[in-house]
Amino acid sequence: MTQSLIALFSPETSPQPAVLQPFRLLCDALFFYALPGQDTPQAGNDDQQELWSGYTPVRLSAEDQSRFLSLAHELKGNEAEFHGGLLASLSAGHGDRDEASVGSLISSLRSGTKSVQPKETTDEGLWQAMLILKLAEMFQEEEREITQGFMAVSGKEAELFAAIRGEEETEDGEGDEEEEQTLRELAATTAPSGPTLNMTRLARAWGHFFLRDARAAEFPLLVTTQEELQGLLADTCEALTGRLPRQLVSLALPTQPESSEHAALIEKFKTATEAAGGQFNRLLLEVAASGTLSTEQLTELQGAGNDLSRGALPFLKNSPNEKVMRFYAYEGVSLMDLFARICNNRAPVAASGQATTGLLAVLS
């Protein structure tokens, strides 16, 4: 019986459904973290929602959740000031001065109002992590709004150009559509990028959730759209084991603009590639359960990946663009080991008694 491939998305919290779409072509179930008190993106129906859903891995009391939502609300509109203080603290000395300053930075944004500090018994590291992740969400939302604005402007430009050319040149409808698409793509690629958080800090904040997640052991595969995360995990793996991770296989996957057809595409793709996809996932799980990767395992996995790629070819022909998913294996160390090192976790990670290999899939 084929085991299910269950993956966890990192390090973005509450990602857009379109971001998750390519991963769902392979994964039987996909999960991501959501911040306390936050609505998660909904799938088209309840059945689909069971296959990809968000949850908060750390339970807060009603009082602490209310306090966090209050702090997050006050952070809104002061992102630049908060981020500036965060960056300034990086040069103040070594260690985690930036994270340690989170509470004071939030308090300084209250403009003289009485600050509500977390109780002494509250895990300060968790609060810091949640606020950093909330700031990252705000920056991502701002970038999406800017991109949408540029897309709207490009559409107006296309209409103006068509009017300037006159009706006599509008017979070539295909050419007009190509020009409009070019304008939209140009707008999307030239949209200004707002301030972003250092990937190490973002991964560390996300890692605070991961290390406290009782379900973390259920996820043999971590998935991301951030190539920087792979570099960070590679450096961490080398520090722990003395060797770099191994790239297993690359897969080209179809994508389409966000629409109601997502579920239909995923269902058709999985039906057409059922045998190859099942074999690939089974071999991937075998790699995750072993401490070392043999030449035979790698050859067999790459062969299954080639079969899966051939099955995906008909879908790539009808896809406006394609994404490449690269799989990496961190031999002999689990994902928990890697994030414990990134987070400078002083408490040892509980050993399962069996060597494992962390797996990461990067979509680009």
Side-chain angles (χ1 to χ4, degrees):
M1 181 177 179
T2 303
Q3 291 178 281
S4 296
L5 180 62
I6 303 175
L8 182 64
F9 184 83
S10 172
E12 183 180 347
T13 51
S14 293
Q16 296 294 300
V19 174
L20 303 178
Q21 178 210 358
F23 296 113
R24 292 171 58 209
L25 296 174
L26 295 179
C27 301
D28 298 299
L30 179 62
F31 295 87
F32 55 89
Y33 290 155
L35 294 174
Q38 185 174 49
D39 293 332
T40 59
Q42 298 294 310
N45 54 62
D46 292 338
D47 292 336
Q48 287 294 321
Q49 181 65 20
E50 294 178 359
L51 304 180
W52 61 284
S53 59
Y55 67 97
T56 303
V58 181
R59 185 179 298 276
L60 297 179
S61 66
E63 181 182 357
D64 282 343
Q65 179 163 299
S66 177
R67 182 178 290 113
F68 170 74
L69 294 177
S70 176
L71 291 174
H73 177 74
E74 294 184 22
L75 180 60
K76 185 69 174 177
N78 296 286
E79 298 96 326
E81 181 182 350
F82 181 90
H83 188 247
L86 197 64
L87 294 180
S89 65
L90 287 173
S91 59
H94 297 290
D96 291 335
R97 293 286 299 279
D98 58 325
E99 293 183 358
S101 66
V102 170
S104 60
L105 283 170
I106 285 291
S107 297
S108 70
L109 298 179
R110 293 178 174 272
S111 303
T113 59
K114 183 178 179 180
S115 62
V116 180
Q117 297 291 345
K119 294 178 295 186
E120 291 183 2
T121 56
T122 299
D123 186 341
E124 183 67 18
L126 178 61
W127 279 80
Q128 294 160 2
M130 291 191 301
L131 292 171
I132 288 173
L133 290 170
K134 187 63 179 180
L135 180 64
E137 278 190 5
M138 291 177 177
F139 285 153
Q140 289 158 358
E141 181 61 30
E142 182 180 0
E143 287 191 348
R144 279 193 289 267
E145 291 175 357
I146 291 174
T147 299
Q148 290 172 358
F150 268 74
M151 295 289 285
V153 170
S154 71
K156 293 295 184 182
E157 287 178 344
E159 293 176 5
L160 289 173
F161 287 148
I164 291 173
R165 285 194 300 268
E167 294 182 355
E168 68 235 347
E169 297 184 17
T170 60
E171 295 179 0
D172 186 8
E174 183 177 351
D176 292 342
E177 291 179 3
E178 291 179 356
E179 290 180 14
E180 291 177 12
Q181 180 63 27
T182 300
L183 284 170
R184 287 178 170 80
E185 292 176 356
L186 179 62
T189 56
T190 57
S193 178
T196 57
L197 289 172
N198 176 279
M199 177 53 67
T200 301
R201 302 295 161 180
L202 185 58
R204 182 174 295 172
W206 186 89
H208 275 289
F209 269 13
F210 185 64
L211 294 175
R212 289 167 170 79
D213 186 4
R215 300 180 56 182
E218 299 178 13
F219 307 110
L221 175 66
L222 195 66
V223 297
T224 185
T225 56
Q226 302 292 332
E227 185 67 39
E228 285 182 85
L229 181 61
Q230 143 59 14
L232 176 61
L233 292 177
D235 292 341
T236 306
C237 179
E238 187 176 24
L240 285 172
T241 66
R243 58 180 180 269
L244 291 170
R246 299 176 66 176
Q247 181 171 329
L248 301 176
V249 67
S250 296
L251 300 176
L253 299 174
T255 62
Q256 60 182 201
E258 187 173 355
S259 69
S260 59
E261 299 178 359
H262 279 178
L265 171 66
I266 292 168
E267 186 65 26
K268 290 179 181 178
F269 182 89
K270 286 193 170 185
T271 299
T273 61
E274 182 177 4
Q279 175 75 348
F280 180 82
N281 289 353
R282 180 184 67 79
L283 293 170
L284 203 61
L285 290 170
E286 288 182 2
V287 171
S290 61
T292 58
L293 178 62
S294 67
T295 302
E296 292 76 12
Q297 279 181 309
L298 182 58
T299 300
E300 196 173 1
L301 181 64
Q302 290 175 340
N306 291 336
D307 292 340
L308 185 56
S309 294
R310 281 191 288 270
L313 285 176
F315 296 88
L316 293 172
K317 293 178 181 178
N318 299 322
S319 176
N321 52 64
E322 64 183 57
K323 296 284 188 179
V324 176
M325 190 180 296
R326 296 179 175 84
F327 292 81
Y328 297 88
Y330 303 85
E331 294 179 76
V333 291
S334 67
L335 295 173
M336 191 71 73
D337 294 327
L338 293 171
F339 277 97
R341 177 67 176 242
I342 290 172
C343 296
N344 297 323
N345 190 20
R346 293 183 177 86
V349 177
S352 63
Q354 180 180 1
T356 58
T357 290
L359 297 177
L360 175 73
V362 182
L363 187 72
S364 59

